[in-house]
Amino acid sequence: MIGDIRETKECQLRDPMDLFNSGQVVKICAPMVRYSKLAFRTLVRKYSCDLCYTPMIVAADFVRSAKARDSEFTTNKGDHPLIVQFAAKEAQVLCDAARIICPFADGIDLNCGCPQRIHEDLKRTVDLCQKAQAAGVSWIIVHGRSIEERHQPVHYDAIKIIKQSMSIPIVANGDIKTLKDAENVHHLTEADGIMVARGLLANPAMFAGYEETPFQCIQDWIDIALEHGTPFTCFHHHLMYMMERITSKQEKKVFNVLSSTSAVLDYLNDHYGLW
């Protein structure tokens, strides 16, 4: 909420371009509706995530309503570097939202990926990216699927062509579930950064090289979520994602229908010695 935002005025905002200029592949947590909020960003930063995005925020609502601002955006001193993603139809509205948020964020992102992704005629996508580059954007994230594609293989070859056509950093996104996947996608696309969504939900420690969520990461999530007052549904859903590969079908039937924080904590204590 806005009251928490004020704390960041005491900290140094960071230029995310320093990450891209480091020569290392930038590891990025994607903007996920309901999920990539402050508590989860705090968790993935503990496990080698370089750059975090907020969930998408509707710029018009953010500008118009203090209630929307309090609801949609929370940060703190350690939440950097941070990119705020807006959805906007009008340039002035985006500008107004950016002016409000700029003291508390390290960059602004315009969501152009729902539902436009790569076009069947790749030249159209390259042309759009080059126009954005000419307009002064710092980097572009490319999800390697067309508008009709949902679960089909990602077109990493298309991302590589886009990368080779640009002089600004390009970030690859799509079906990256492990650190090895990230390394392979970097090799295939030559992208400057890797953005992950569902892979980080399933394993917030993936960028640190863990094949599945370590118990320490689950404990860290419990501690962080309780400290931040994370609503139960969000707290529980994150644990369901993290424990997907750990729990049996029978365990899932029990764990996934628990209905209170105390019940979840009791279950984790009884079965895994956590909390």
Side-chain angles (χ1 to χ4, degrees):
M1 55 187 173
I2 294 297
D4 294 329
I5 295 175
R6 296 190 186 110
E7 296 181 6
T8 62
K9 289 188 176 181
E10 302 174 13
C11 77
Q12 290 289 326
L13 297 183
R14 298 174 58 185
D15 184 354
M17 287 305 297
D18 291 343
L19 294 170
F20 288 103
N21 293 332
S22 70
Q24 303 296 315
V25 180
V26 182
K27 302 184 288 293
I28 305 171
C29 178
M32 294 175 280
V33 175
R34 295 183 299 276
Y35 292 118
S36 49
K37 295 196 172 185
L38 175 59
F40 188 68
R41 298 195 302 264
T42 302
L43 178 66
V44 296
R45 290 185 195 279
K46 290 176 65 74
Y47 290 91
S48 301
C49 184
D50 298 317
L51 181 63
C52 290
Y53 276 60
T54 67
M56 185 192 76
I57 300 171
V58 177
D61 294 342
F62 191 82
V63 170
R64 182 169 51 244
S65 167
K67 183 177 179 181
R69 292 194 288 273
D70 288 344
S71 170
E72 295 293 335
F73 183 72
T74 306
T75 191
N76 61 23
K77 296 177 183 178
D79 191 27
H80 295 278
L82 176 66
I83 307 299
V84 176
Q85 185 186 79
F86 285 115
K89 296 179 180 179
E90 300 173 359
Q92 187 59 54
V93 173
L94 177 62
C95 181
D96 292 343
R99 286 181 184 277
I100 294 171
I101 210 72
C102 69
F104 317 110
D106 304 281
I108 303 297
D109 180 86
L110 177 62
N111 184 346
C112 299
C114 298
Q116 296 79 24
R117 296 180 181 94
I118 60 171
H119 196 275
E120 290 183 2
D121 180 359
L122 190 58
K123 292 179 181 178
R124 293 183 61 179
T125 299
V126 170
D127 179 64
L128 176 62
C129 290
Q130 289 176 338
K131 287 176 178 176
Q133 176 178 273
V137 302
S138 299
W139 68 83
I140 294 174
I141 300 152
V142 182
H143 184 99
R145 289 188 174 98
S146 70
I147 188 172
E148 293 84 9
E149 294 174 327
R150 296 292 179 182
H151 304 292
Q152 292 88 335
V154 177
H155 301 287
Y156 295 120
D157 55 336
I159 298 177
K160 182 175 182 178
I161 291 171
I162 294 167
K163 165 62 185 172
Q164 292 174 338
S165 304
M166 307 290 289
S167 59
I168 60 173
I170 296 296
V171 175
N173 175 234
D175 276 4
I176 301 166
K177 299 176 181 177
T178 66
L179 184 60
K180 185 65 176 177
D181 287 344
E183 293 167 350
N184 289 340
V185 170
H186 168 65
H187 177 74
L188 289 170
T189 64
E190 301 175 1
D192 305 276
I194 299 295
M195 175 177 276
V196 179
R198 288 176 295 175
L200 278 175
L201 285 180
N203 179 8
M206 64 159 283
F207 281 142
Y210 292 91
E211 292 296 318
E212 60 184 30
T213 308
F215 283 113
Q216 182 58 53
C217 183
I218 296 172
Q219 182 65 63
D220 287 338
W221 169 245
I222 295 169
D223 295 340
I224 292 168
L226 294 181
E227 178 184 350
H228 285 81
T230 302
F232 171 72
T233 299
C234 182
F235 170 67
H236 191 205
H237 282 187
H238 273 295
L239 287 170
M240 289 163 61
Y241 278 115
M242 292 180 202
M243 299 176 68
E244 174 68 25
R245 303 174 192 171
I246 300 171
T247 52
S248 66
K249 287 184 178 180
Q250 187 59 41
E251 288 176 316
K252 288 182 179 66
K253 288 180 181 179
V254 176
F255 183 78
N256 292 358
V257 297
L258 295 175
S259 58
S260 70
T261 298
S262 59
V264 168
L265 295 178
D266 287 344
Y267 183 95
L268 293 175
N269 183 49
D270 293 343
H271 289 77
Y272 300 102
L274 296 169
W275 189 247

